[in-house]
Amino acid sequence: MPQVELTAGFYRIEAEVAATQTDRVQGLMNRRSMAANHGMLFVFPEAERHCMWMRNTFLPLSVAFLDNDGRVLNIEDMEPQTDTSHCAAGPARFALEMNKGWFSAKGLKKGLQLGGLEKSPRPR
């Protein structure tokens, strides 16, 4: 998958980009680890109330749902290997998955605007 550098406040994120339907479905499934300050950016064709789940995902993750402008709508913590739906609080154009607790450990909350999204591939 392509990669993009994002910023969240003073923090730099190296994110793989899931911009195709195949990549969005695969996500971080079957991975056993993810480096610090790395994540996966999901780019959706439309801003909708998208939901994520953790089937076949072995890493505990936190997901930030982002609007068209890259502003955080909500952040959800997700447990490995569950089918529980974690949904955007409003129309989301992006979702950023990071290691669980990454956002809270950095003091990042709803309303924060991420930088660098304009460099990500367009959804296909």
Side-chain angles (χ1 to χ4, degrees), residues 31-46:
R31 304 234 188 139
R32 299 282 179 180
S33 64
M34 185 165 57
N37 300 318
H38 281 67
M40 181 168 285
L41 178 68
F42 294 79
V43 182
F44 301 109
E46 301 291 332

Side-chain angles (χ1 to χ4, degrees), residues 54-107:
M54 296 287 285
R55 182 178 297 160
N56 299 321
T57 305
F58 301 111
L59 305 170
L61 299 171
S62 294
V63 60
F65 292 99
L66 313 168
D67 68 12
N68 278 322
D69 297 322
R71 200 165 302 282
V72 175
L73 298 168
N74 60 305
I75 299 169
E76 302 290 326
D77 288 336
M78 305 186 294
E79 294 302 321
Q81 298 187 24
T82 60
D83 287 341
T84 304
S85 288
H86 302 275
C87 301
R93 184 65 190 281
F94 307 93
L96 176 62
E97 289 182 341
M98 301 292 288
N99 286 310
K100 186 176 178 183
W102 188 88
F103 296 101
S104 61
K106 309 283 191 250

